[in-house]
Structures are given as C-alpha cells and as structure tokens.
C-alpha cells in the first residue's frame, strides 16, 4: 500500500502520476515532416514513492524514459520507469529507502552499498545502443523499441571509473564519443577520468586527472578538435558535510569559478586551471580551438540556480541570480594569466538548456538555440492558473554572426521544456531542420510535442498526448538508422 503523495490533489500539472503508458498513434495538428524517421527520446524523473526527507532534491526522483517515434508522418509514444537497483529495491520494499540526494549516510541500513543512482538526467546513443545517464553512475542500457532497462554498461570493461557524465560529446568528423566522470573513484573523491570511445563503442584513450582546488559538480563540459574543457563553480562537497547528513551539494560563493583545459589526446600533464568570479556553470553550447585561443560559448547563470542546494552562509536563495545569458569565454593558452575574458552576447535572460546543430559540435558554428520566458507574451491565468513568474514560453534562435535573436511563442497556457534540433534529411547546411520539444499545456493538463521550422521559426505541427507526460530533464533526437529501429521493430 502506498500512502497518498503530498501534493497529489493540489499540485496540478506537476502532481505525481506513477504510471507507464503507450499511445500507438498520437493525435496531430498541422504536418509532420515526411523526412522525420527516428525517435525523440526524453529522460527525466518522478518519485514513484514519496521522498524519505521533505528537503530532498527533485534531482533525486526516479528515472523515467519516454520516446516519440516518428515514421511515415505518424507518431507513437511510450513511457517507462527506468529500473535501477534503487527502483527495484524500493518496489520490493513498498517505500523509499534512500535518503538525501547522493548521500548514502542518510539511506536505510538495508540498502547500504547498493548503487543508488536514479539515472534520470539524459538519454544518449552511441554505437547503436541507447542509454540513460546520470553523472553519479555508469550508463544504463535501454532497449530502444520497448524502453525496458537492460543494465549497466562499461564499454566491455574499458571504462574504469565509477561515474559517467550526463553530457557526452560526439566528434562529427570521426564519430568518436568523448566523455568523463568526476568523483570517479568514489564518494567525494577528487578524481576525474576522461575517455575517448571510438565509433564502434570501444575505449580508445584514457586520461586521469585531479579536480582542483575543491570537489564540485561538473555537470557538462565541452570539446574542441584539440582540447577538452571542464567548467565548475561554487557547488561544494566533502565527506565531513556528507557524514553530517547534509545534501550532496551546497553553494559557497566565496569559492572561485574554475575552468580546466587540456589536450584531448594527451596524458593530462598540460592541464591548466583558470579562475573567475561567481557563476553557476551547468551547461554549454559549443567550443573551438584556434591556435593558442580557446573559446567557449555557454549559457552560464550569475549564481546558484538550485533553491534546494542551500547556501553555506545560511542566506536565502536569490532568484535574481538564477538568470542565464548567452556568454562567450575566451582563453589565451600562450599567456600565464589564469583568468578569462567573458562577453555577454545577448541581453535577454534565457534558460541554460542550450543546443546547437550537433553536426557542428567542436567546429565553428553560427546558431545557438535555447528557451526563455518572454515577459512580453501573454499568459492566460484564468485558464492555466496562477504559477508565479511567467513560465518558459518561447524558443530562441541566436544568430551569432549577425547578433540577432529570433523567437517562437508556444502559446498562452504553455510551459516549454528543453528544445532540440533535428537536421533535415539530405541537407548539410547548418540550422536547416526542425526545433522540437514538449510543451506542458497547463490549462488542459496534457503534454504536447511542438515541431517548428528551424529557419523560419514557424510551427509546422503539434503532437498531443491525452495525459501529462513525466517531467523531462534532457531530450534528444536520433534518426532511425542510428538505432537500427526499422529492423529492430520488424523483429520485435
């Protein structure tokens, strides 16, 4: 028996649902582009059982994977919980046995030593395999047709670290994957293991380095054709903090923001750490190397973005600092200066879940995409309810060459999740394709998938689910060939 969740009857769109579902043929308005043959895969989280402690982080919710399958102008949907060891153990016990986010000292004695990942952050695909990933564990392989959980994957024993990033990068020229894990040798360790995994899924290169000068969250990173870039800032942990029963991360604004740069094909001996002022460094757009100059495009926040990771000085969370902007960071590797140059390229505050045309990762590019809450757009509180600040309602395309921002408005009762770029089949032109992502219809309590022409920023079609899909953290598109979907579905 499960006691009713707190908020089940009052939290509206974001109330827990705890169900898995399928829609064999979704309702559609407009047109589904005929060249879209593939999957839009989303990973997020939802607590299957209430959290053990009321101050636990939403990032500790159980992993949920869902997929919109596009083929022949039609779309189907599947959604499943990811069966981690934690999920299966809780299901057997009938309750949540795991305490605060990434703090095993707060877990029940019965689950001590168990892998406690919720694998709820992002999907990724490499060498024909689909994975769910979270940065505190190895990837979990997922069947791309059924979405059933297969198990942890260590790349045939080649991955020696205990952790794997939620944001691996892919070299469009070689097909190789670059990835890393921090806290790679255990809880609050200062080890970072960096790997190149070839296009066949075999580990081809390893670099082991130390995180300095403190242990921090490295959620995302960037790769150029020559270098790898590790940004982190102000989130802090150590064993003393964890043994005291606190959540894994706390924010210390007195610590420097740090960005490490090293050659991606070296041994780590050339690693340099650069220092800067307070920023929240979560996600990146892209990066390039030009001689001794490295540039990083990233939508970093001014300060602590997460209200559930408390400030170490006891001060309240400041929402005015949780604003991201399109920023360019420049590093001179020929100089002994340990700082960087920061430029804010656009004045509009945005959500930091940014994307580029992934065929231009590591390469010069013109466009970047993200979402934002456009305050000039209407919001119908009579239908959607009072939600405080205006929700994220707009896709934004940033033209870096012309300094222009173009936008698409999703609707006056909608809240958008992360945007993704889908290349048009047969085209090699940057930005020629579609922007897709889910929109929460707060009035009708359903999820809608929006398809937008990425060049004209005009809606082409919309896919409707007759229910609220689980909340997404990250989502990506893969063509059917990348997962051999048509053959697998024929054999299913």
């Amino acid at each position: 028996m499960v006691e009713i969740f707190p908020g089940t009857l009052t939290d509206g769109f974001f109330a827990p649902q705890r169900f898995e579902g399928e829609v064999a043929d979704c309702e559609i308005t407009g047109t589904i582009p005929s060249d879209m043959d593939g999957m839009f895969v989303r990973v997020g989280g939802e607590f299957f059982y209430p959290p053990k402690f009321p101050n636990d982080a939403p990032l500790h919710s159980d992993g949920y994977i869902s997929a919109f399958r596009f083929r022949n102008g039609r779309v189907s949907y599947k959604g499943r919980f990811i069966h981690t060891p934690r999920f299966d153990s809780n299901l057997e016990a009938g309750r949540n046995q795991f305490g605060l986010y990434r703090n095993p000292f707060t877990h029940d004695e019965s689950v001590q030593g168990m892998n406690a990942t919720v694998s709820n952050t992002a999907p990724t695909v490499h060498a024909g395999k689909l994975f769910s990933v979270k940065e505190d564990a190895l990837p979990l392989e997922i069947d791309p047709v059924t979405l059933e959980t297969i198990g942890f994957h260590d790349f045939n024993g080649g991955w020696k670290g205990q952790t794997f990033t939620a944001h691996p990068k892919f070299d469009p020229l070689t097909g190789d994957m670059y990835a890393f894990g921090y806290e790679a040798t255990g809880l609050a360790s200062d080890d970072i293991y960096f790997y190149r995994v070839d296009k066949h899924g075999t580990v081809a290169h390893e670099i082991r380095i130390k995180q300095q000068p403190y242990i921090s969250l490295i959620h995302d990173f960037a790769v150029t054709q020559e270098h790898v870039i590790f940004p982190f800032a102000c989130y802090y942990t150590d064993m003393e903090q964890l043994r005291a029963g606190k959540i894994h991360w706390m924010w210390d604004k007195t610590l420097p923001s740090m960005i490490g740069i090293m050659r991606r094909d070296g041994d780590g001996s050339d690693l340099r750490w650069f220092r800067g002022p307070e920023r929240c460094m979560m996600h990146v757009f892209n990066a390039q190397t030009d001689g001794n100059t490295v540039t990083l495009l990233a939508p970093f926040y001014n300060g602590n973005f997460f209200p559930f990771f408390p400030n170490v000085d006891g001060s309240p969370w400041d929402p005015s600092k949780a604003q991201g902007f399109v920023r360019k960071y420049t590093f001179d590797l020929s100089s002994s200066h340990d700082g960087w140059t920061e430029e804010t390229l656009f004045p509009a505050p945005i959500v930091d879940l940014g994307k580029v045309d992934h065929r231009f990762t590591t390469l010069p590019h013109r466009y970047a995409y993200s979402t934002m809450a456009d305050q000039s757009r209407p919001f119908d509180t009579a239908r959607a309810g009072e939600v405080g600040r205006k929700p994220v309602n707009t896709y934004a395309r940033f033209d870096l060459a012309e300094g222009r921002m173009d936008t698409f408005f999703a609707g006056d009762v909608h809240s958008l999740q992360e945007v993704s770029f889908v290349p048009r089949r047969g085209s090699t032109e940057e930005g020629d394709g579609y922007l897709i992502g889910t929109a929460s219809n707060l009035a009708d309590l359903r999820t809608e998938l929006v398809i937008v022409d990425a060049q004209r920023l005009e809606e082409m079609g919309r896919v409707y689910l007759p229910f609220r899909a689980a909340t997404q953290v990250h989502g990506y598109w893969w063509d059917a060939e990348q997962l051999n979907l048509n053959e697998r579905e024929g054999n299913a």
Side-chain angles (χ1 to χ4, degrees):
M1 181 183 72
V2 181
E3 295 183 4
I4 193 165
F5 269 59
T8 295
L9 304 179
T10 59
D11 283 356
F13 194 95
F14 301 102
Q17 298 183 102
R18 307 176 68 247
F19 83 98
E20 302 180 332
E22 297 186 24
V23 181
D25 198 358
C26 295
E27 297 172 274
I28 293 169
T29 57
T31 301
I32 303 298
S34 59
D35 65 310
M36 290 184 72
D37 181 8
M39 292 176 71
F40 177 56
V41 186
R42 308 163 64 247
V43 167
E46 181 175 308
F47 281 103
F48 192 78
Y49 294 105
K52 186 178 178 183
F53 299 109
N55 64 326
D56 198 9
L59 302 180
H60 208 200
S61 56
D62 294 291
Y64 195 96
I65 186 166
S66 59
F68 291 87
R69 173 67 166 108
F70 287 67
R71 189 180 185 186
N72 298 327
R74 301 167 71 176
V75 182
S76 61
Y77 170 88
K78 284 189 179 78
R80 301 278 186 270
F81 277 99
I82 298 168
H83 280 251
T84 62
R86 161 186 151 137
F87 184 88
D88 288 339
S89 180
N90 281 344
L91 193 60
E92 183 177 354
R95 62 183 179 84
N96 194 343
Q97 307 162 92
F98 296 80
L100 293 176
Y101 176 77
R102 295 177 66 180
N103 187 345
F105 297 105
T106 64
H107 300 345
D108 286 2
E109 186 63 33
S110 60
V111 295
Q112 289 296 322
M114 182 180 293
N115 189 316
T117 188
V118 289
S119 199
N120 67 359
T121 307
T124 195
V125 167
H126 188 57
K129 296 181 184 294
L130 172 65
F131 304 99
S132 66
V133 289
K134 187 178 179 69
E135 60 212 55
D136 63 350
L138 294 179
L140 273 169
E141 186 178 352
I142 304 293
D143 185 300
V145 176
T146 67
L147 300 188
E148 293 174 353
T149 305
I150 296 173
F152 288 108
H153 188 81
D154 64 0
F155 302 93
N156 300 313
W159 193 278
K160 303 302 182 183
Q162 298 178 23
T163 58
F164 184 97
T165 178
H167 292 286
K169 307 301 179 189
F170 300 88
D171 188 329
L173 304 183
T174 65
D176 290 350
M177 176 177 72
Y178 291 85
F180 75 101
Y182 70 92
E183 295 186 56
T185 58
L187 190 67
S189 66
D190 61 358
D191 295 292
I192 300 173
Y193 287 8
F194 172 76
Y195 292 92
R196 175 171 67 88
V197 182
D198 70 21
K199 63 182 180 181
H200 305 294
T202 300
V203 170
H205 189 63
E206 177 194 68
I207 304 175
R208 300 186 179 188
I209 59 175
K210 295 287 188 179
Q211 187 174 14
Q212 298 176 3
Y214 59 95
I215 302 163
S216 187
L217 185 160
I218 312 177
H219 179 66
D220 198 357
F221 76 123
V223 176
T224 77
Q225 281 295 310
E226 297 180 33
H227 295 94
V228 55
I229 304 166
F230 298 109
F232 65 89
C234 299
Y235 288 117
Y236 175 81
T237 196
D238 61 23
M239 290 300 288
E240 180 181 359
Q241 177 174 305
L242 297 172
R243 287 195 176 99
K246 298 178 181 179
I247 206 162
H248 195 91
W249 300 116
M250 298 183 72
W251 183 266
D252 186 347
K253 65 183 180 181
T254 67
L255 296 173
S257 296
M258 303 293 298
I259 296 179
I261 301 178
M262 68 180 185
R263 293 196 62 83
R264 73 183 199 180
D265 60 354
D267 60 6
S269 60
D270 64 319
L271 173 66
R272 287 185 60 182
W273 290 107
F274 295 83
R275 297 169 176 255
E278 179 186 13
R279 290 289 181 265
C280 181
M281 298 179 170
M282 294 300 296
H283 296 102
V284 306
F285 286 114
N286 204 4
Q288 291 86 41
T289 297
D290 183 9
N292 287 316
T293 300
V294 173
T295 56
L296 170 67
L297 190 73
F300 291 158
Y301 291 107
N302 288 334
N304 183 9
F305 174 70
F306 295 116
F308 42 80
F309 291 152
N311 297 320
V312 296
D313 62 7
S315 61
W317 179 68
D318 183 357
S320 69
K321 287 195 170 185
Q323 293 191 92
F325 298 88
V326 180
R327 286 168 161 153
K328 179 181 177 182
Y329 294 85
T330 304
F331 306 84
D332 183 356
L333 301 186
S334 67
S335 170
S336 60
H337 178 56
D338 68 351
W340 56 70
T341 301
E342 178 189 87
E343 302 173 72
T344 299
L345 303 184
F346 296 87
I350 62 170
V351 178
D352 83 324
L353 303 176
K355 296 285 181 67
V356 297
D357 182 337
H358 56 269
R359 299 170 300 174
F360 291 80
T361 302
T362 76
L363 304 173
H365 66 107
R366 178 173 179 174
Y367 299 111
Y369 309 95
S370 191
T371 55
M372 59 183 292
D374 188 339
Q375 301 298 317
S376 68
R377 298 290 193 168
F379 183 70
D380 189 344
T381 56
R383 293 180 58 218
E386 181 57 59
V387 295
R389 293 184 297 175
K390 277 192 177 178
V392 175
N393 56 16
T394 297
Y395 289 158
R397 182 189 66 183
F398 298 97
D399 186 330
L400 305 174
E402 296 187 3
R404 188 181 74 244
M405 180 182 76
D406 297 298
T407 63
F408 164 78
F409 175 59
D412 63 2
V413 294
H414 292 80
S415 176
L416 288 168
Q417 298 186 20
E418 180 186 41
V419 64
S420 289
F421 177 80
V422 181
R424 192 186 311 273
R425 281 181 179 266
S427 175
T428 58
E429 179 186 352
E430 182 193 355
D432 184 16
Y434 317 103
L435 300 181
I436 64 172
T438 53
S440 302
N441 185 321
L442 304 177
D444 297 333
L445 298 182
R446 69 185 180 207
T447 294
E448 302 168 4
L449 178 67
V450 182
I451 306 164
V452 176
D453 185 292
Q455 293 183 311
R456 299 192 301 271
L457 274 292
E458 296 174 356
E459 183 168 335
M460 302 181 68
R462 195 169 291 217
V463 181
Y464 297 86
L465 296 180
F467 49 78
R468 299 175 285 119
T471 301
Q472 169 191 325
V473 179
H474 293 293
Y476 297 89
W477 170 271
W478 288 280
D479 287 336
E481 297 87 342
Q482 293 174 274
L483 284 164
N484 199 19
L485 286 178
N486 293 323
E487 181 178 337
R488 288 186 182 195
E489 290 165 344
N491 294 330

